[in-house]
Amino acid sequence: MTVSPMMQQYQEAKAACPDALLLFRMGDFYELFHDDAKTASRVLGLALTSRDKGENPVPMAGFPHHQLESYLGKLIAAGLRAAICDQVEDARQAKGLVRRELTRIVTRGTVTDDALLDPRESNYLAGIVPGEIAGLAWVDLSTGRFLAAAVPSEQLAEELARIGPVECLAGDDAGEIPTLPGMLITRRPAWAFSHRNALDVLHKHFGTQSLEGFGFVAEDAAAIRAAGALVEYLAETQKTSLGHIDRLVPYRLGTSLAIDEASRRSLELCRTLREGRREGSLLAVLDRTATAMGSRLMAEWLANPLTDRASIDARLDAVGELLTGANLAAELREQLKRVHDVERLLARVTTGRATPRDLSCLARTLRVLPAVKARLTARASVLLNRLETEIDLCPDLRARLDAALEDECPLVSREGGFIRAGHSSELDGLRELASGGKQWIARYQAEEATRTGISSLKVGFNNVFGYYLEITHAHRDKVPPHYIRKQTVKNAERYITPELKDYEEKVLSADDKAKTLEHELFLELRDAVAAAARRLRSTAEALAQIDVLAGLAELARERGYCRPQIVDEPVLNIVAGRHPVLDAMLTSGSFVPNDCTADGELGNILLITGPNMAGKSTYIRQTALITLMAQLGSFVPATEATIGIADRIFARVGASDELSRGQSTFMVEMTETARILNTATPASLVILDEIGRGTSTYDGVSLAWSVVEFLHDEIGCRTLFATHYHELTELSQSLSRIQNLNVAVREWQDDVVFLHKIVAGAADKSYGIHVARLAGIPREVLERARQILARLEADHLDEGGRATWARRPQVQKGQLQLTLFEPPPHPLLDEIRTADLDNLTPVNALNLLQQWQQTLANTIAAKPR
């Protein structure tokens, strides 16, 4: 079958990207063919048509070129890759088939279009090299931020959760790698991750002979392999300059507070647990930033709280000065609202995708800088002083952009209309010529009519001859000899003159020449911005930090937060602490604050009992969130707070089935608990909620009991343990570092009032039946539940209201503990224990068995029903 030249062009482009949907530009449309068309029809809802209707029709689907961003977003959201094949020459000037080329391949981790990105979130592409010491690198193509780390294999999943990449590269020989919800896995050839290839790629990209200047050492070999694979992938997909990725930063473990994926979910740091929304998360409360750059940095600070006391105090000093300075934070925030997203703008500049509007946004940002810099001059905070010095006003670039650009600029440079009048005399002349053509033609027509004496002479235009002079046959004798006849029409002749044709050429080409010249001037401005990219990026980073700090100060002022005292000792002393999210969502003053003290004297394991809905989970969560906020450098929702720096925060709060992994709720709970018990240190903060509730009561309380013992005896970390198992409160009698706390409840006229106040001591009731009544359980079910509860309590509680089976045996260190709970005494057991088996005949033994069996049957029958 004969293939048309255009379809041959399509096939060559498709062969270069077989695993991507090829969007093939044809005039004003992007078209897809064959299986790509079928996929696009299904995913995008496009009508499926066909090309070359006949025996072998080619499936075809398409959409207008101006809708590219919209459809790209849908393809990327569906986890697909899209290759863009554009027309790279003007169809009007092409000789034969218009030349087309692959201009980029777009994947979830290589998106740079503003319309496809959330301005508040980073868009990381990661690369992994598995191993005992794994290599991990991550880059945000939209900003140029690029980091790499060597990570112990057991911490790889935790680091991925911290970074949150949307796409991850791995070798096709890498086997199974950790995954995150929504993360796309892209397999690459194994050789792309080789050490030699990585060094060649990175040295060429950065123009260096070594990576030691970036701070990498021999132990970072795996990290370098991952970084090299990323750069090669970006070069392959973007097909343009990656100059904005101008440094590779080594990331060292231990510099930030470690939080595993399960704990991040439980604490709802960036997304709510149930709906996965940003609103309702801690990030939504903390983010008071005025810029997109600041919003992304706020999310990064939240994902990476600090562990260095000096660095934390430096941020707190800055927030404190912004808070106490007269209107300082408010004035800075007002200026920052006029700052555009310089980081992503610079990425578009260096990749050649910037628009005139991007440059005008940069110009407006540069005009704001002097006011921001002036407000930060001579501050007491070391951090604010440093940030002030890092703001480069770039006066030369600002002057050039202000002189060249109109206040409002278009998105497309080739359409013109954005260079100021007076900036280029040549451009001004072309514009005047293009706009003045009609006046010249009118004047020329009047002059020629007068000169020839032909009052009816007219100047006309058509696409064949261009401008012409039309003279009726009645005046043909008056036609000057230098007029050149071009066409005869009914009742008239059409002529041209050298003067008319010369001006015609100038008029017709003036607009095109003006647009071409404007585009060239735009490219010069873009190159000037690219030359200042390093200075501008440093300024952007400083502005983002100022934005975050000013936002935290505004939050502290509005919500009445206090500055936490940061200490190295593993202590917690929070006075009138509040849950930051609930405190912000509820009516002002309605949240009930609570104290929290965990230290070596009073006890660092807090055992909290009390009914559902009373506030146990809120209390333990707020303690973890206050600690985390303090270590990222924020003031905290409390009256006073002394926070000992934690190396890790673990939170096992709530659970759900993970059926796709074949794990039940209880398996998820135990897996997360195992991770805590195996990796927590004395400096960690652990919060646990209802451990053991996913199995039988005796199994559950046994596991919960032993978990508390292990945390107390083996780890010794600060722990908040919320439970319904009141039996665990007995542990305070045998373990020295346990405090019993409970949620205060008041009973009044057969009703229960939850006071949401944490007080010392153990709860004696769960009030579960009361909560069930509030939930709408039928009255008959509630009444029967009360009967069953009364019988169970009679069987298993002693005179003091304590469980008869919840007595911890005294076990010497090193002695095998066969059972956690001693069984209640029974006469039958004594008979069995004292039976003289050596002197029993077979008949006597059978009689004894029958007797014991009858005793058991009588005992069961005698129990109340």
Side-chain angles (χ1 to χ4, degrees):
M1 183 178 66
T2 303
V3 179
S4 67
M6 193 194 68
M7 287 305 293
Q8 185 175 352
Q9 192 181 55
Y10 167 83
Q11 290 172 358
E12 291 172 354
K14 180 62 180 176
C17 54
D19 58 345
L21 297 185
L22 181 62
L23 309 183
F24 192 74
R25 181 72 180 267
M26 294 174 61
D28 289 336
F29 284 81
Y30 281 104
E31 302 288 358
L32 301 96
F33 300 98
H34 300 293
D35 289 342
D36 286 1
K38 295 177 182 177
T39 301
S41 175
R42 184 182 70 256
V43 175
L44 304 178
L46 300 176
L48 188 64
T49 60
S50 62
R51 180 181 175 85
D52 300 331
K53 297 179 176 14
E55 292 184 7
N56 297 296
V58 175
M60 176 179 174
F63 54 84
H65 72 94
H66 63 271
Q67 295 180 354
L68 176 62
E69 286 184 343
S70 172
Y71 284 112
L72 264 183
K74 294 178 182 178
L75 291 174
I76 299 307
L80 299 171
R81 292 158 55 88
I84 315 297
C85 187
D86 278 317
Q87 297 175 177
V88 293
E89 65 176 333
D90 192 331
R92 295 172 297 180
Q93 300 174 358
K95 296 180 179 180
L97 188 64
V98 175
R99 186 161 56 92
R100 295 176 174 86
E101 291 180 1
L102 282 174
T103 54
R104 56 179 169 143
I105 298 173
V106 183
T107 69
R108 193 171 292 173
T110 60
V111 171
T112 56
D113 309 73
D114 271 1
L116 305 181
L117 292 169
D118 187 334
R120 304 171 302 176
E121 296 182 3
S122 297
N123 194 69
Y124 281 120
L125 168 71
I128 291 178
V129 176
E132 186 176 345
I133 298 297
L136 178 61
W138 58 103
V139 61
D140 186 343
L141 181 62
S142 70
T143 63
R145 184 168 171 76
F146 192 17
L147 301 96
V151 181
S153 60
E154 62 272 14
Q155 290 183 240
L156 185 57
E158 186 174 294
E159 288 302 306
L160 282 173
R162 178 182 62 81
I163 299 163
V166 295
E167 182 180 0
C168 186
L169 308 184
D172 50 22
D173 63 342
E176 188 176 353
I177 62 173
T179 59
L180 295 174
M183 185 177 77
L184 178 68
I185 303 296
T186 300
R187 293 290 178 172
R188 300 284 292 163
W191 57 260
F193 292 85
S194 72
H195 193 252
R196 181 69 267 163
N197 184 73
L199 287 177
D200 290 344
V201 168
L202 293 173
H203 290 165
K204 179 181 178 181
H205 176 76
F206 292 116
T208 62
Q209 295 183 343
S210 168
L211 297 176
E212 292 181 5
F214 290 118
F216 288 93
V217 295
E219 289 75 16
D220 296 319
I224 291 170
R225 289 168 59 192
L230 286 184
V231 172
E232 183 166 63
Y233 180 69
L234 292 178
E236 178 184 305
T237 57
Q238 300 309 292
K239 303 182 185 301
T240 186
S241 167
L242 299 172
H244 64 300
I245 304 175
D246 58 5
R247 54 184 164 170
L248 177 59
V249 179
Y251 177 84
R252 303 301 177 196
L253 300 184
T255 58
S256 63
L257 174 64
I259 312 172
D260 60 45
E261 180 192 357
S263 298
R264 291 178 187 275
R265 287 200 313 266
S266 293
L267 293 174
E268 299 182 301
L269 299 187
C270 300
R271 292 283 186 272
T272 57
L273 193 59
R274 184 179 296 274
E275 298 176 345
R277 298 174 54 196
R278 192 178 199 267
E279 293 73 20
S281 70
L282 178 62
L283 176 58
V285 171
L286 296 182
D287 189 1
R288 299 298 184 89
T289 56
T291 70
M293 299 181 296
S295 188
R296 291 194 299 272
L297 184 62
M298 180 71 257
E300 187 169 323
W301 280 17
L302 179 57
N304 299 272
L306 303 173
T307 54
D308 177 67
R309 179 178 171 183
S311 300
I312 298 170
D313 280 332
R315 289 181 183 177
L316 292 173
D317 287 344
V319 173
E321 185 165 3
L322 290 168
L323 178 61
T324 57
N327 298 322
L328 178 57
E331 291 174 3
L332 281 172
R333 284 166 53 79
E334 197 59 37
Q335 295 294 337
L336 289 169
K337 289 176 183 177
R338 300 159 54 197
V339 169
H340 292 269
D341 195 341
V342 179
E343 290 178 332
R344 286 186 171 167
L345 186 155
L346 287 175
R348 293 194 293 276
V349 166
T350 55
T351 56
R353 296 182 182 130
T355 67
R357 187 172 297 173
D358 286 331
L359 299 194
S360 68
C361 288
L362 177 60
R364 286 195 288 269
T365 297
L366 292 175
R367 293 175 206 147
V368 175
L369 298 186
V372 174
K373 195 175 180 72
R375 297 301 291 131
L376 295 174
T377 302
R379 290 293 160 194
S381 161
V382 174
L383 178 54
L384 291 181
N385 268 315
R386 178 174 64 77
L387 294 174
E388 184 272 332
T389 63
E390 291 175 0
I391 297 176
D392 191 331
L393 300 180
C394 299
D396 49 343
L397 180 62
R398 175 188 170 187
R400 186 170 179 178
L401 293 175
D402 283 345
L405 295 173
E406 293 280 7
D407 291 336
E408 298 297 329
C409 292
L411 285 172
V412 181
S413 62
R414 294 190 181 276
E415 296 301 318
F418 54 87
I419 297 294
R420 288 185 187 277
H423 179 69
S424 166
S425 58
E426 182 182 359
L427 178 61
D428 291 344
L430 290 170
R431 285 174 170 172
E432 184 177 354
L433 184 61
S435 63
K438 291 182 179 179
Q439 289 87 342
W440 187 91
I441 292 297
R443 186 176 69 251
Y444 180 73
Q445 176 177 301
E447 290 174 353
E448 289 301 301
T450 301
R451 185 182 299 116
T452 61
I454 306 172
S455 59
S456 61
L457 179 149
K458 294 188 300 183
V459 176
F461 177 85
N462 67 28
N463 291 327
V464 178
F465 300 120
Y467 286 106
Y468 56 82
L469 295 159
E470 184 171 289
I471 300 174
T472 62
H473 292 316
H475 297 287
R476 70 176 60 179
D477 295 339
K478 297 179 182 180
V479 175
H482 68 281
Y483 277 26
I484 303 171
R485 190 172 67 83
K486 294 296 292 184
Q487 187 181 26
T488 301
V489 294
K490 185 179 181 180
N491 299 326
E493 295 283 346
R494 291 175 175 175
Y495 303 86
I496 62 173
T497 67
E499 184 181 11
L500 184 60
K501 298 309 291 184
D502 181 60
Y503 194 79
E504 173 192 298
E505 182 179 348
K506 290 179 180 178
V507 169
L508 293 179
S509 63
D511 190 50
D512 287 340
K513 287 181 178 178
K515 289 178 180 177
T516 300
L517 178 57
E518 249 186 297
H519 180 67
E520 292 172 355
L521 293 172
F522 164 73
L523 295 180
E524 292 176 5
L525 291 173
R526 193 181 70 185
D527 290 343
V529 173
R534 191 176 289 271
R535 297 159 61 194
L536 290 169
R537 186 171 295 110
S538 176
T539 298
E541 291 172 356
L543 290 173
Q545 291 186 62
I546 295 165
D547 192 13
V548 173
L549 294 168
L552 291 175
E554 174 65 17
L555 176 65
R557 182 197 63 76
E558 179 183 312
R559 304 303 309 171
Y561 288 3
C562 75
R563 173 173 179 158
Q565 180 183 357
I566 305 299
V567 297
D568 294 320
E569 297 76 23
V571 300
L572 276 177
N573 187 9
I574 300 169
V575 178
R578 311 186 300 277
H579 191 292
V581 179
L582 295 179
D583 184 47
M585 294 173 61
L586 297 177
T587 305
S588 179
S590 62
F591 187 88
V592 178
N594 277 295
D595 299 344
C596 178
T597 301
D599 57 30
E601 293 184 7
L602 294 176
N604 58 0
I605 296 183
L606 310 184
L607 199 62
I608 306 108
T609 48
N612 271 325
M613 297 177 57
K616 300 193 305 298
S617 295
T618 297
Y619 177 69
I620 64 175
R621 273 192 173 102
Q622 79 183 39
T623 303
L625 294 180
I626 288 173
T627 301
L628 189 150
M629 288 173 62
Q631 290 191 220
L632 69 83
S634 170
F635 280 33
V636 299
T639 302
E640 296 178 22
T642 300
I643 308 294
I645 294 175
D647 62 350
R648 306 175 71 94
I649 287 181
F650 294 98
R652 217 234 63 77
V653 180
S656 60
D657 290 332
E658 293 190 15
L659 299 180
S660 61
R661 300 183 183 181
Q663 295 185 343
S664 66
T665 301
F666 185 61
M667 175 57 79
V668 172
E669 176 185 322
M670 288 298 100
T671 300
E672 294 175 3
T673 304
R675 184 183 301 117
I676 295 171
L677 299 181
N678 288 320
T679 55
T681 74
S684 301
L685 173 62
V686 173
I687 68 169
L688 295 167
D689 190 19
E690 303 298 350
I691 292 296
R693 64 181 172 183
T695 184
S696 71
T697 301
Y698 286 0
D699 276 354
V701 74
S702 301
L703 284 166
W705 188 295
S706 57
V707 165
V708 174
E709 287 182 346
F710 189 87
L711 288 166
H712 181 277
D713 297 339
E714 303 298 331
I715 299 177
C717 61
R718 290 163 290 179
T719 302
L720 279 75
F721 195 107
T723 183
H724 275 101
Y725 295 137
H726 299 159
E727 298 78 14
L728 300 186
T729 60
E730 299 290 323
L731 284 166
S732 64
Q733 299 179 16
S734 55
L735 301 180
S736 60
R737 296 192 304 279
I738 287 186
Q739 298 184 58
N740 278 328
L741 304 176
N742 74 95
V743 189
V745 174
R746 291 292 180 269
E747 297 186 47
W748 182 72
Q749 293 186 353
D750 197 31
D751 203 353
V752 176
V753 178
F754 299 136
L755 302 181
H756 304 292
K757 195 70 178 176
I758 303 297
V759 296
D764 56 0
K765 293 183 181 179
S766 290
Y767 298 99
I769 294 176
H770 172 76
V771 174
R773 180 172 65 82
L774 296 178
I777 295 296
R779 182 178 57 80
E780 297 87 344
V781 176
L782 298 175
E783 288 301 324
R784 177 58 178 155
R786 289 190 181 95
Q787 295 172 9
I788 296 171
L789 176 63
R791 190 180 73 192
L792 290 174
E793 288 180 339
D795 286 348
H796 296 287
L797 296 182
D798 61 18
E799 294 80 2
R802 296 175 299 179
T804 56
W805 41 271
R807 298 176 183 137
R808 188 189 191 197
Q810 299 299 316
V811 180
Q812 298 299 320
K813 191 174 182 61
Q815 179 183 346
L816 181 63
Q817 183 173 333
L818 296 177
T819 179
L820 183 63
F821 307 114
E822 289 187 2
H826 195 286
L828 184 57
L829 295 177
D830 293 334
E831 288 187 35
I832 295 173
R833 191 178 297 113
T834 58
D836 186 3
L837 301 181
D838 292 335
N839 296 314
L840 277 178
T841 66
V843 174
N844 290 336
L846 181 59
N847 290 335
L848 271 177
L849 285 174
Q850 289 177 334
Q851 179 182 333
W852 292 340
Q853 191 176 53
Q854 185 61 46
T855 301
L856 283 175
N858 294 339
T859 301
I860 293 173
K863 285 197 173 185
R865 294 185 180 274

